[in-house]
Amino acid sequence: MHRSHIIMGRRIFVTICVFLMYVLLCQSTWSARLVRVGTYQNPPKVSMSESGKAEGIFIDVLEAIAADEGWKLEYVPGTWAQGLDRLSAGKIDLMPDVAFTEPRKILYTFHKEPVLSDWFQIYARPKSGIRSILDLKGKRVSVLNRSIQQEAFDKSFSAFDLDIKLKSYPTLDSAFSAVKRGDVDAVVANRFYGVSHLRASGLEDTAVIFYPTRLFFASPKSGDPTILYAIDNRLSSMKKDRNSVYYHSIEHWTSEEIEYAMPLWLKLTALIAVLLMLFTAYFNIALRHQVSIQTHELRKSLKVNEQLYDELHQRAIMLEDRVHERTVELEAARDRAEAADRTKSAFLATMSHELRTPLNSIIGFTGLLLQGLAGPMNVEQCKQMGMIRASGQHLLDLINDVLDISKIEAGQIEITCVSYNLPASIMKVVNTITPLADKKSLLLNVHIAPDVTDTKGDSRRVEQVLLNLLSNAVKFTDHGDVTVRVTVDAGYYSIAVTDTGPGIHQDDIRKLFQPFKQIDTGLTRQYEGTGLGLAISKRLVEKMGGQISVVSTPGVGSTFMFTLINEQTIIS
């Protein structure tokens, strides 16, 4: 009886132990965390096999992390677009192979450590001729619907204005098949899928590579952050261990060492960079050598320049001394010239006064004798007295002209500015000259425009200039007429004197306005004069702000014209 109790007790103990182990196992199974993972066909990164098993680089990494974390993984297959929609709706906890972008950052949550780095490439049929981005102009290109490739293609090539027509497909397999069938000209895909499917699809890769990306697991905004936190920790540890699942999976699915997985263009770029570095080093050595040579030559030139500078400095000192000496000489000469000018001015003023007083007496007394106030004279006496009076008047005019030109050159002529009637001044001069014109049977014409009225200026100087011009015109004209014409134009009065005299040759015109210059300078000149009238007239006109000019044709006549500022127009 005792023995049977012992056997029964042992059986009960074993049964209780087995029951407790079963409960603990079930509890462990019940407490394992369920993580729903979306999958789609993008081998070798992620895909579903024909037997319905999830596989790929992302799956290998995730299952290793799940084993360490005690997660239970549930795979939810579908298209890429379906996976994104399920992730946004919170129907799955993770979506693998998601490229990080700012717009996606708003929709999903990403961990920090990237799983893979990738870039995109264009694939086309053999002999398609597509070798650069420009060859895609007007072409049709297939792309995975709602993929980062679609977004990146628009960003990268929209500025080229190539009119590329994108056509989206639900899977990469259907996008590649569309090229093979001829529905489109090329397909854009990530380099992992392209390399693994290039031979089977019958396509070839092109040189068009763009948009490097980093790939992550993504979770919903409302998801559990501890899942991504665990992925970051486990993934960082895997990357530090060269024998981890991470590197074995990459080698298994891509048959390449990860550190050497770089495209041809990147290798060429590195080679070019090395060549550039070597060239730069050679260039720097050569440049330093040239700089050394140039520095040596520069030092020699600098020494020569210093010697030249010293010589030039000595010569400059000598030149300054000479300039100083010449300046002292010129200042002394200037003082002597100014003293002589003052002496000349005093002499002219004194002589003009001393000469004009007796001349006025001679002219006055000769006029009295010609009037018969001192008694009757015969014809010959009257003739002689007339010659004396004319000579005296000529000499007085000469003295007045010399005094005027002297004052002008010395800057002692003052121009007044008062209101006066310009037509009245014109007629005053014309009336003065009329007897001389009548004596030579010349017709004297006057044309004054209606808008010529009062103005401001020095009427006496205006009359002096006009009298000089009219006197010359009458003196040099033997037959025909003399015309005075006054007009207004653009704020200026224009006064012109035209004659029908012998005219002036072009070579002689430049002498007209120089003091003491006359065209006829022979010993028996036909016309008397000092040669100062036109010189005085030119300086007076310029002093009043105008200009004087002459137009002449030999054998036809001459026109002397001067302008005056219309002060009334300026004031108004």
mmCIF file of all heavy atoms in Angstrom, residues 63 74 89 101 174 227 248 316 374 428 472 483 489 496 502 553:
data_model
loop_
_atom_site.group_PDB
_atom_site.id
_atom_site.type_symbol
_atom_site.label_atom_id
_atom_site.label_comp_id
_atom_site.label_asym_id
_atom_site.label_seq_id
_atom_site.Cartn_x
_atom_site.Cartn_y
_atom_site.Cartn_z
ATOM 1 N N GLU A 63 13.761 39.985 -39.044
ATOM 2 C CA GLU A 63 13.538 38.728 -38.321
ATOM 3 C C GLU A 63 14.622 38.497 -37.268
ATOM 4 O O GLU A 63 14.344 37.947 -36.193
ATOM 5 C CB GLU A 63 13.480 37.569 -39.317
ATOM 6 C CG GLU A 63 12.183 37.594 -40.141
ATOM 7 C CD GLU A 63 12.038 36.375 -41.043
ATOM 8 O OE1 GLU A 63 13.037 35.639 -41.225
ATOM 9 O OE2 GLU A 63 10.924 36.148 -41.559
ATOM 10 N N GLU A 74 3.951 39.326 -38.389
ATOM 11 C CA GLU A 74 2.849 38.933 -39.279
ATOM 12 C C GLU A 74 2.981 39.765 -40.562
ATOM 13 O O GLU A 74 2.924 40.990 -40.529
ATOM 14 C CB GLU A 74 1.500 39.202 -38.621
ATOM 15 C CG GLU A 74 0.322 38.850 -39.520
ATOM 16 C CD GLU A 74 -1.006 39.209 -38.883
ATOM 17 O OE1 GLU A 74 -1.129 39.040 -37.642
ATOM 18 O OE2 GLU A 74 -1.905 39.678 -39.603
ATOM 19 N N ALA A 89 -3.115 54.306 -42.395
ATOM 20 C CA ALA A 89 -4.337 53.987 -41.653
ATOM 21 C C ALA A 89 -4.056 53.226 -40.360
ATOM 22 O O ALA A 89 -4.986 52.952 -39.580
ATOM 23 C CB ALA A 89 -5.271 53.168 -42.534
ATOM 24 N N THR A 101 11.830 61.299 -46.938
ATOM 25 C CA THR A 101 11.658 62.607 -47.568
ATOM 26 C C THR A 101 10.906 63.501 -46.590
ATOM 27 O O THR A 101 10.247 63.011 -45.661
ATOM 28 C CB THR A 101 10.862 62.514 -48.890
ATOM 29 O OG1 THR A 101 9.535 62.038 -48.610
ATOM 30 C CG2 THR A 101 11.536 61.591 -49.888
ATOM 31 N N SER A 174 5.791 44.808 -63.383
ATOM 32 C CA SER A 174 4.950 45.279 -64.491
ATOM 33 C C SER A 174 5.573 46.484 -65.181
ATOM 34 O O SER A 174 5.428 46.673 -66.391
ATOM 35 C CB SER A 174 3.552 45.644 -63.970
ATOM 36 O OG SER A 174 3.634 46.652 -62.976
ATOM 37 N N ILE A 227 9.248 50.296 -31.006
ATOM 38 C CA ILE A 227 9.610 49.395 -32.111
ATOM 39 C C ILE A 227 10.770 49.987 -32.900
ATOM 40 O O ILE A 227 11.779 49.329 -33.175
ATOM 41 C CB ILE A 227 8.395 49.145 -33.025
ATOM 42 C CG1 ILE A 227 7.273 48.416 -32.253
ATOM 43 C CG2 ILE A 227 8.804 48.355 -34.259
ATOM 44 C CD1 ILE A 227 6.026 48.180 -33.066
ATOM 45 N N HIS A 248 25.787 39.339 -43.916
ATOM 46 C CA HIS A 248 25.542 38.048 -44.582
ATOM 47 C C HIS A 248 24.352 38.132 -45.526
ATOM 48 O O HIS A 248 24.369 37.556 -46.622
ATOM 49 C CB HIS A 248 25.318 36.951 -43.537
ATOM 50 C CG HIS A 248 26.578 36.514 -42.848
ATOM 51 N ND1 HIS A 248 27.683 36.037 -43.527
ATOM 52 C CD2 HIS A 248 26.923 36.498 -41.526
ATOM 53 C CE1 HIS A 248 28.647 35.742 -42.663
ATOM 54 N NE2 HIS A 248 28.212 36.019 -41.432
ATOM 55 N N ALA A 316 65.016 114.671 -59.532
ATOM 56 C CA ALA A 316 63.817 115.419 -59.151
ATOM 57 C C ALA A 316 64.180 116.606 -58.278
ATOM 58 O O ALA A 316 63.616 117.702 -58.416
ATOM 59 C CB ALA A 316 62.843 114.493 -58.418
ATOM 60 N N ALA A 374 34.357 183.191 -89.413
ATOM 61 C CA ALA A 374 35.549 184.033 -89.292
ATOM 62 C C ALA A 374 35.818 184.846 -90.557
ATOM 63 O O ALA A 374 36.881 185.458 -90.709
ATOM 64 C CB ALA A 374 36.761 183.175 -88.983
ATOM 65 N N LYS A 428 18.852 154.611 -84.717
ATOM 66 C CA LYS A 428 19.774 155.705 -84.403
ATOM 67 C C LYS A 428 21.072 155.530 -85.193
ATOM 68 O O LYS A 428 21.604 156.499 -85.777
ATOM 69 C CB LYS A 428 20.053 155.707 -82.904
ATOM 70 C CG LYS A 428 21.063 156.755 -82.461
ATOM 71 C CD LYS A 428 21.293 156.654 -80.963
ATOM 72 C CE LYS A 428 22.364 157.641 -80.511
ATOM 73 N NZ LYS A 428 22.638 157.528 -79.061
ATOM 74 N N ASN A 472 31.868 149.813 -92.160
ATOM 75 C CA ASN A 472 32.659 148.972 -93.057
ATOM 76 C C ASN A 472 31.865 148.599 -94.302
ATOM 77 O O ASN A 472 32.400 148.610 -95.419
ATOM 78 C CB ASN A 472 33.107 147.704 -92.332
ATOM 79 C CG ASN A 472 34.212 147.967 -91.346
ATOM 80 O OD1 ASN A 472 34.854 149.015 -91.385
ATOM 81 N ND2 ASN A 472 34.438 147.023 -90.436
ATOM 82 N N THR A 483 22.010 146.102 -96.223
ATOM 83 C CA THR A 483 20.771 145.724 -95.535
ATOM 84 C C THR A 483 21.058 145.365 -94.086
ATOM 85 O O THR A 483 21.994 144.610 -93.803
ATOM 86 C CB THR A 483 20.099 144.521 -96.229
ATOM 87 O OG1 THR A 483 19.842 144.866 -97.595
ATOM 88 C CG2 THR A 483 18.803 144.149 -95.538
ATOM 89 N N ASP A 489 15.464 134.625 -82.103
ATOM 90 C CA ASP A 489 15.485 133.170 -82.230
ATOM 91 C C ASP A 489 16.047 132.543 -80.960
ATOM 92 O O ASP A 489 17.199 132.796 -80.591
ATOM 93 C CB ASP A 489 16.342 132.756 -83.437
ATOM 94 C CG ASP A 489 16.320 131.250 -83.653
ATOM 95 O OD1 ASP A 489 15.336 130.610 -83.218
ATOM 96 O OD2 ASP A 489 17.263 130.726 -84.249
ATOM 97 N N ALA A 496 22.131 141.268 -88.371
ATOM 98 C CA ALA A 496 22.965 140.958 -89.536
ATOM 99 C C ALA A 496 23.074 142.179 -90.433
ATOM 100 O O ALA A 496 22.092 142.894 -90.665
ATOM 101 C CB ALA A 496 22.381 139.789 -90.316
ATOM 102 N N PRO A 502 32.846 143.768 -102.513
ATOM 103 C CA PRO A 502 33.727 142.836 -103.248
ATOM 104 C C PRO A 502 33.801 141.452 -102.632
ATOM 105 O O PRO A 502 34.268 140.516 -103.262
ATOM 106 C CB PRO A 502 35.092 143.530 -103.188
ATOM 107 C CG PRO A 502 35.030 144.357 -101.944
ATOM 108 C CD PRO A 502 33.619 144.826 -101.833
ATOM 109 N N THR A 553 31.207 135.772 -99.962
ATOM 110 C CA THR A 553 31.492 135.178 -101.272
ATOM 111 C C THR A 553 32.167 136.228 -102.137
ATOM 112 O O THR A 553 31.585 137.299 -102.379
ATOM 113 C CB THR A 553 30.193 134.696 -101.956
ATOM 114 O OG1 THR A 553 29.526 133.773 -101.094
ATOM 115 C CG2 THR A 553 30.501 134.024 -103.284
#
